[in-house]
Amino acid sequence: MKASEIRSKWLQFFSSKGHKIEPSASLVPHNDPSLLWINAGMAPLKPYFDGRVKPENPRLANSQKCIRTNDIENVGKTRRHHTFFEMLGNFSIGDYFKEEAVTWAWEFLTSKEWIGFDPERLSVTVYPEDEEAYKLWNEKLGLPAERIVKLEDNFWDIGEGPCGPCTEIFYDRGEDYGDLSDPECYPGGENERFLEVWNVVFSEFNHNKDGSYTPLPNKNIDTGAGLERFASILQNVPSNFDTDLFQPIIAKTSEIAKVKYGENTENDVAMKVIADHIRTVSFAVADGVLPSNEGRGYVIRRLLRRAVRYGKMLGLDRPFMFGLVEVVGEIMGSYYTDVVTKREFIEKVIRTEEERFHETLSDGLAILATFSQEAKAAGNSVISGPDAFKLYDTYGFPLDLTEDYAAEHGLSVDREGFEAAMQQQRDRARAARHDNESMKVQGGVLSDFTTKTEFVGYDELVAESKIVAIVVNDAFVDMVSEGESCQIILEQTPFYAESGGQVSDKGEIRNASGSAAVEGLFKAPHGQFVHMVTVQTGELRTGDTVTAAVDRGLRSDIIKNHTATHLLHKALKETLGEHVNQAGSLVEPGRLRFDFSHLGSITPEELSAIEQRVNEQIWNSLDVIIELKPIDEAKAMGAMALFGEKYGDVVRVVQVGGYSLELCGGCHVENTSQIGLFKLISESGIGSGVRRIEAVTGRQAYEYMDGQIDVLKQAASLLKSHVGEVPKRIEALHQQVKDLSRENESLQGKLSGIEAGALTSQVKTVGNTQLLAVQVQANSMDALRTLADELKLKLPEAVLVLGAAVEDKVNFVVAVPQQEVKRGLHAGKLVKELAALCGGGGGGRPDMAQAGGKDASKLGEALKRSEELIQASAQ
């Protein structure tokens, strides 16, 4: 049975049991800073489990893409470790419990209509104190007692929050996978024979702060089953990597590398790692994560580099990973369409990163040369463990590559120190996961506050309302007086609470006896709008009837900027390509900020085109139509869903004429003409593959342009010309600077000739080689090369090693005549080693090469080292 069929059967089965099928959420958690990645099927459903949101249907099921990197070093070496996997799940939020969960699991696994496992091959584990689960398996479903194992570990508990016993279901793979005489060969033991396929958690207790446990008011079911494991059993293959989820990728890698799978263990491990990591990276990039030096981007960068290193073991010294993306799409695209529709963009991201890493490897070798020299200089024969780990962690150098290099230079590597540094990193990562992954129930007095409030601010900016709650220092109070700050919840409010990038409204809440300034808002756990206010006069009481008034001027500026972001998003896609996706935004009164995914820089012509497109839509006076639509209908219309957002069955669709169509909960103008004018003020890169545009509209756009005109007038004044003549005057000045530069270069050349003549007397004979290794005056690499050319004419048979200090840095040029090249001297290798002594790198041809270094204080030592290297080559 194909993996796609297994996934389909799972969803069909639970749909037949009244479950709502949840689509797989983005790998990037939405509004959940406790998680780096979605790492389990229940992770995107946490708001349902902790009570923040009540689902329309308490029965849910999904097939959720997940990423876990806590055991990355085991990937490819074991049968089932992965960084990317699919977790099949069924969930009950306060609806059915143990009997239904266990009965349906048995039906799905053993029925010929569904999976059709031989019941005799199934065993389970239960928590020793969970008699109800034991009886369900034994008495209701007829599972013999000898195939029900009681294990103390069968209690799902990650600290404060919901927890409970669980039951795990195992499939017996037979004698080929383990002998029953082995004391660990039992369901739940350390063995390959009994394979866990399903874990059903009965979430019925709350783990309290004091360590005690109390029953939950609503009991939940949370399950997880591995699609890859199901596939390995149903396809009768020894490991997950031998299933149809991985084999096409491995086959393609084998074809590219011209290496057969199944003939060599090391090669097999390399191909498995590559197959796993390309899945992870492809899906992460499809969900908007791009390689970078921090957070999720750093994880993706490390996985890519790890795969490239394993590719080198297969003899692949060129970018190749990008060529596997199409195969990932062929395998997964029927359910996860993004890996198909975004294929070109994913390939571009991966190829760019591969190319960068091949360059980084050269930098790492230069650093490794420095570590080697420092060890020798200190009289050590060992490269330290922390240094070796730095090369691994920062430059992606595997330990064996460092050891090979060290051996070539008569050194060894402190492997124990390396492993200790590696373990410290693992401990830090696990500690962070322990701190972050706990699913805690919402705290504070607002967690139990369920009185509903209504937002009327789409249509009204002033509303009569009633104060339903006042909170001071996380406690409900009846009254607040002048000078006090508090949180107020109204029966209905025209104030928008910060969401989706749009900042909160500001304004005033007042009644006959007092008034308060509204400084911001946020949403309570049950969705109420909470006003953060400071009482200015009099007093406010719970139950008071008040007037809530939004600052009209600020709201007007905000909505102009918000609608402009929709126009900008569409204009970016039209100009740069459909791969552009929003990666963040800020909509406030004074400006808008829009972050988006895009590789490479944006040309001035493209920026001009983007700005022109947005302004054309403003001048076209397009009506902004806002409607509530079923989610499927909205998607069929082509509405853009924002990255990371989770939508309900009914969504708010914002349509700007026939130009832009997005799902959005924010506030907008009624017609684009109200925006007035759109002006870009900056564009920059803020991370690998993420760029930022800042812009202004309306009044702020006018003020910005007026300021630019003032600057132009000042420039004209300084140039003693009219405004219209400024470009022509600047061109004339540029030409004048060019003429002076040429004159300066001519003089510099003459000086180089004079200096070259003075240096010829410093040539030394080292063995049979003439060598000129000197420090010279040259303020740039160009000047240093010019001097080298002069010296080559005067000393055609000498090896030239020229070094110049430029502030605290150093430049090198090495020239080797052809007769010395034939004897084995190589300018590129020589300059590389000299630059490494100064904390730098470089290289070049055998006869001519250049390099740079960061530490000019080591220049003399490097020049002296060149004599030693020439001497050694002559022996």
Side-chain angles (χ1 to χ4, degrees):
M1 189 183 297
K2 292 182 178 180
S4 57
E5 294 178 68
I6 300 168
R7 184 195 302 117
S8 179
K9 283 180 177 291
W10 178 279
L11 300 177
Q12 289 173 21
F13 176 80
F14 283 104
S15 179
S16 73
K17 301 299 183 184
H19 290 64
K20 178 190 176 187
I21 305 304
E22 287 278 315
S24 181
S26 166
L27 287 164
V28 179
H30 179 58
N31 289 337
D32 188 354
S34 70
L35 291 177
L36 190 65
W37 301 102
I38 290 298
N39 59 5
M42 63 76 58
L45 308 179
K46 281 166 66 172
Y48 298 145
F49 279 88
D50 63 22
R52 280 177 286 164
V53 180
K54 185 177 180 180
E56 294 179 7
N57 184 339
R59 298 183 180 187
L60 305 167
N62 65 5
S63 180
Q64 175 63 46
K65 53 188 175 183
C66 303
I67 289 179
R68 291 182 188 175
T69 58
N70 48 309
D71 290 316
I72 187 174
E73 65 274 9
N74 291 323
V75 173
K77 298 174 183 177
T78 68
R79 298 173 191 256
R80 283 174 288 281
H81 274 101
H82 303 295
T83 57
F84 175 90
F85 61 96
E86 284 185 77
M87 186 175 286
L88 307 169
N90 64 289
F91 312 91
S92 168
I93 315 298
D95 186 46
Y96 64 83
F97 202 46
K98 293 183 183 180
E99 183 171 0
E100 293 89 341
V102 167
T103 303
W104 289 339
W106 186 256
E107 179 185 352
F108 179 73
L109 291 175
T110 60
S111 170
K112 296 293 184 183
E113 180 185 356
W114 302 107
I115 296 300
F117 282 158
D118 179 355
E120 298 298 317
R121 285 182 173 264
L122 295 178
S123 302
V124 301
T125 59
V126 297
Y127 186 58
E129 297 177 24
D130 191 358
E131 285 299 319
E132 183 182 357
Y134 182 91
K135 288 181 178 179
L136 284 169
W137 287 117
N138 182 239
E139 297 176 10
K140 178 170 184 178
L141 297 173
L143 201 63
E146 60 270 20
R147 300 217 309 271
I148 306 175
V149 181
K150 295 183 177 182
L151 292 179
E152 287 289 341
D153 288 342
N154 276 38
F155 193 92
W156 188 83
D157 188 353
I158 54 174
E160 185 184 343
C163 59
C166 63
T167 183
E168 296 172 322
I169 307 171
F170 292 80
Y171 182 87
D172 183 356
R173 303 216 67 185
E175 294 179 358
D176 291 344
Y177 293 86
D179 191 330
L180 293 178
S181 63
D182 182 343
E184 278 293 319
C185 195
Y186 63 90
E190 293 293 329
N191 66 86
E192 294 290 345
R193 176 166 177 168
F194 292 95
L195 180 61
E196 180 195 339
V197 294
W198 202 334
N199 184 16
V200 182
V201 178
F202 309 122
S203 189
E204 56 182 310
F205 301 107
N206 191 61
H207 187 160
N208 303 311
K209 287 183 179 180
D210 61 4
S212 63
Y213 294 84
T214 53
L216 287 171
N218 294 310
K219 294 177 171 58
N220 303 319
I221 291 294
D222 165 20
T223 81
L227 175 64
E228 294 82 5
R229 295 190 178 198
F230 269 127
S232 69
I233 297 170
L234 291 168
Q235 293 171 22
N236 193 28
V237 291
S239 81
N240 295 355
F241 290 100
D242 297 299
T243 66
D244 65 340
L245 290 166
F246 292 89
Q247 276 300 301
I249 306 172
I250 290 173
K252 183 65 175 179
T253 305
S254 175
E255 176 188 328
I256 295 171
K258 297 180 173 56
V259 174
K260 287 189 176 181
Y261 179 69
E263 291 186 349
N264 177 286
T265 301
E266 288 187 0
N267 288 347
D268 288 355
V269 168
M271 285 188 271
K272 290 174 184 177
V273 169
I274 290 166
D276 172 88
H277 290 4
I278 191 60
R279 282 170 28 114
T280 310
V281 174
S282 296
F283 274 86
V285 173
D287 280 345
V289 181
L290 301 176
S292 67
N293 287 328
E294 59 184 13
R296 299 179 187 93
Y298 179 61
V299 173
I300 296 308
R301 173 162 284 169
R302 285 198 63 200
L303 290 175
L304 262 172
R305 292 184 171 189
R306 189 169 189 264
V308 169
R309 293 201 316 268
Y310 275 97
K312 280 184 170 290
M313 293 173 58
L314 300 174
L316 293 168
D317 290 317
R318 66 186 189 281
F320 71 95
M321 290 278 287
F322 72 95
L324 302 174
V325 176
E326 183 176 7
V327 185
V328 175
E330 290 170 355
I331 299 168
M332 310 291 284
S334 62
Y335 191 70
Y336 300 102
T337 57
D338 277 358
V339 291
V340 176
T341 59
K342 298 180 180 179
R343 191 190 101 196
E344 288 187 15
F345 179 65
I346 297 168
E347 288 175 341
K348 185 177 180 181
V349 170
I350 293 175
R351 181 166 193 162
T352 300
E353 185 64 18
E354 285 188 274
E355 290 170 348
R356 285 178 181 170
F357 182 48
H358 282 285
E359 295 172 6
T360 302
L361 280 173
S362 298
D363 295 337
L365 283 170
I367 298 297
L368 183 51
T370 300
F371 289 159
S372 175
Q373 292 297 327
E374 289 175 350
K376 289 181 178 179
N380 295 329
S381 60
V382 178
I383 293 177
S384 75
D387 282 348
F389 181 72
K390 179 181 179 182
L391 283 163
Y392 168 81
D393 196 45
T394 307
Y395 293 95
F397 263 51
L399 182 60
D400 55 1
L401 179 59
T402 303
E403 288 177 326
D404 289 345
Y405 180 93
E408 290 172 8
H409 292 77
L411 300 170
S412 60
V413 177
D414 175 14
R415 180 175 277 271
E416 288 186 8
F418 175 89
E419 294 294 347
M422 176 76 85
Q423 189 59 48
Q424 287 174 7
Q425 186 191 65
R426 289 179 189 142
D427 292 343
R428 287 193 298 269
R430 286 181 180 134
R433 283 194 300 276
H434 184 269
D435 291 341
N436 289 336
E437 287 185 359
S438 294
M439 185 181 74
K440 295 182 173 68
V441 176
Q442 288 281 313
V445 296
L446 293 177
S447 64
D448 297 321
F449 186 79
T450 57
T451 302
K452 293 188 178 297
T453 63
E454 181 185 4
F455 173 64
V456 297
Y458 288 133
D459 304 310
E460 302 175 34
L461 296 185
V462 179
E464 295 297 312
S465 189
K466 182 182 291 186
I467 297 176
V468 296
I470 301 174
V471 178
V472 176
N473 295 327
D474 201 33
F476 290 114
V477 299
D478 293 325
M479 181 191 75
V480 283
S481 302
E482 184 175 330
E484 285 190 85
S485 294
C486 65
Q487 299 167 354
I488 288 179
I489 299 177
L490 300 177
E491 200 169 57
Q492 64 177 18
T493 180
F495 287 89
Y496 185 85
E498 182 168 348
S499 178
Q502 180 179 328
V503 299
S504 299
D505 286 323
K506 294 184 179 180
E508 185 182 46
I509 296 174
R510 61 180 181 271
N511 62 12
S513 60
S515 67
V518 178
E519 297 158 349
L521 294 92
F522 66 90
K523 289 183 181 179
H526 293 278
Q528 304 95 338
F529 284 28
V530 182
H531 306 71
M532 296 178 287
V533 310
T534 298
V535 182
Q536 295 175 311
T537 61
E539 57 189 36
L540 298 174
R541 296 174 179 272
T542 302
D544 280 356
T545 297
V546 296
T547 299
V550 172
D551 185 315
R552 289 179 179 274
L554 292 179
R555 170 68 84 85
S556 177
D557 289 340
I558 288 170
I559 62 176
K560 289 172 184 174
N561 285 334
H562 199 157
T563 305
T565 62
H566 285 221
L567 299 177
L568 174 60
H569 194 182
K570 181 65 173 179
L572 286 165
K573 284 182 173 288
E574 288 183 331
T575 308
L576 303 179
E578 285 297 320
H579 66 273
V580 170
N581 283 305
Q582 180 174 334
S585 71
L586 174 66
V587 180
E588 58 183 13
R591 63 175 178 139
L592 66 89
R593 187 182 74 209
F594 192 82
D595 299 339
F596 57 98
S597 56
H598 179 65
L599 288 178
S601 59
I602 301 175
T603 66
E605 293 76 18
E606 287 171 331
L607 286 173
S608 179
I610 291 163
E611 186 176 86
Q612 178 74 17
R613 287 177 186 273
V614 175
N615 278 305
E616 283 176 356
Q617 307 314 315
I618 293 171
W619 302 330
N620 287 339
S621 300
L622 304 176
D623 287 333
V624 179
I625 308 299
I626 300 175
E627 299 176 296
L628 296 177
K629 298 273 188 183
I631 182 69
D632 292 337
E633 183 180 338
K635 288 181 177 179
M637 292 170 64
M640 280 193 288
L642 296 190
F643 171 72
E645 291 283 353
K646 188 175 178 64
Y647 299 98
D649 291 335
V650 178
V651 293
R652 192 166 180 265
V653 180
V654 177
Q655 185 168 3
V656 185
Y659 187 68
S660 169
L661 188 66
E662 292 193 23
L663 308 184
C664 178
C667 305
H668 293 273
V669 299
E670 295 178 350
N671 185 283
T672 57
S673 62
Q674 294 173 254
I675 300 172
L677 181 66
F678 173 87
K679 190 66 186 172
L680 291 173
I681 58 175
S682 71
E683 188 278 328
S684 61
I686 60 170
S688 182
V690 180
R691 305 199 69 81
R692 170 172 292 172
I693 278 179
E694 295 195 26
V696 286
T697 63
R699 174 167 51 87
Q700 286 79 18
Y702 167 78
E703 292 172 352
Y704 172 76
M705 294 184 70
D706 195 45
Q708 295 296 100
I709 292 172
D710 284 343
V711 170
L712 184 57
K713 288 178 179 177
Q714 291 174 33
S717 177
L718 290 170
L719 292 168
K720 294 181 172 54
S721 67
H722 297 296
V723 167
E725 296 174 350
V726 167
K728 187 176 180 181
R729 180 71 179 121
I730 291 174
E731 283 180 10
L733 287 173
H734 277 172
Q735 186 59 48
Q736 187 177 346
V737 170
K738 286 180 182 178
D739 292 342
L740 290 171
S741 294
R742 279 196 292 268
E743 185 178 344
N744 185 53
E745 288 173 6
S746 177
L747 292 171
Q748 185 67 50
K750 291 177 182 178
L751 288 172
S752 294
I754 294 169
E755 185 174 6
L759 291 172
T760 56
S761 62
Q762 298 183 42
V763 175
K764 295 180 180 180
T765 300
V766 180
N768 296 320
T769 301
Q770 293 183 46
L771 171 66
L772 177 62
V774 291
Q775 179 175 349
V776 298
Q777 295 294 322
N779 58 12
S780 67
M781 186 63 81
D782 286 341
L784 191 60
R785 284 197 300 266
T786 299
L787 179 56
D789 289 339
E790 290 284 346
L791 284 167
K792 283 165 68 177
L793 293 173
K794 297 179 183 297
L795 301 168
E797 296 183 357
V799 174
L800 305 177
V801 179
L802 307 181
V806 183
E807 296 179 350
D808 58 343
K809 296 181 180 179
V810 60
N811 288 331
F812 288 101
V813 167
V814 173
V816 178
Q818 284 301 321
Q819 67 269 22
E820 297 295 341
V821 171
K822 291 177 181 177
R823 292 178 190 172
L825 273 181
H826 191 292
K829 293 179 180 178
L830 182 57
V831 81
K832 193 172 190 177
E833 187 152 354
L834 300 181
L837 287 172
C838 299
R845 305 189 310 269
D847 62 326
M848 189 75 175
Q850 67 184 48
K854 301 175 183 177
D855 186 357
S857 68
K858 300 286 183 68
L859 176 53
E861 181 184 340
L863 293 172
K864 185 177 179 180
R865 175 64 177 158
S866 68
E867 290 186 35
E868 297 173 2
L869 293 171
I870 298 293
Q871 183 71 51
S873 69
Q875 294 174 355

